[in-house]
Amino acid sequence: MTTALAIPPLAPSAVTALAARHARASEEAACLHPEVAAALPATGFARHFVPSRWGGRAGGFAELVDAVAAVGQACASTAWCCALLAGHARLAAHLPERAQAELWADSPDTAIAAAVVPPSGRLTRAPGG
């Protein structure tokens, strides 16, 4: 008989106090304070939608919304980043299995940068290129 290791729940409290302390600086700099960014992996947001076969939580939306709201009470910017960490993993969970294996080979906490809105605009040829 084998037993699966328990996957820790989302932990918004791992970042809320730190995010609150740096909220003003994050707002003024238009980016998260480095200490806040460094604390994000401990929150579990990146692994929330990662399939369990890759060590993720295979979590649901209700828990995610509650956890993002808890972070948002401390710092809206940090909450936005937490939501993106989870959301981008949700998108990646639809990649072919080989791509998923490569993406999460080292950790289900891999931060993924993705575009969720297709590019819009018009390309026009300019003189010289």
Side-chain angles (χ1 to χ4, degrees):
M1 179 169 117
T2 61
T3 57
L5 296 175
I7 297 172
L10 283 172
S13 60
V15 75
T16 52
L18 187 62
R21 189 164 55 249
H22 294 294
R24 175 175 231 138
S26 293
E27 181 72 24
E28 290 171 357
C31 66
L32 293 186
H33 188 278
E35 287 181 47
V36 175
L40 291 181
T43 64
F45 284 98
R47 73 173 51 214
H48 184 67
F49 285 124
V50 174
S52 56
R53 71 179 173 272
W54 309 119
R57 302 195 69 247
F61 285 99
E63 182 184 8
L64 176 67
V65 170
D66 290 344
V68 168
V71 175
Q73 290 179 353
C75 175
S77 297
T78 303
W80 174 252
C81 291
C82 290
L84 290 178
L85 282 172
H88 292 168
R90 173 111 170 122
L91 294 174
H94 294 282
L95 291 170
E97 187 160 339
R98 182 174 168 201
Q100 291 181 40
E102 185 175 323
L103 183 60
W104 293 307
D106 294 330
S107 172
D109 292 316
T110 300
I112 301 167
V116 294
V117 178
S120 62
R122 262 190 117 89
L123 177 66
T124 56
R125 189 173 297 271

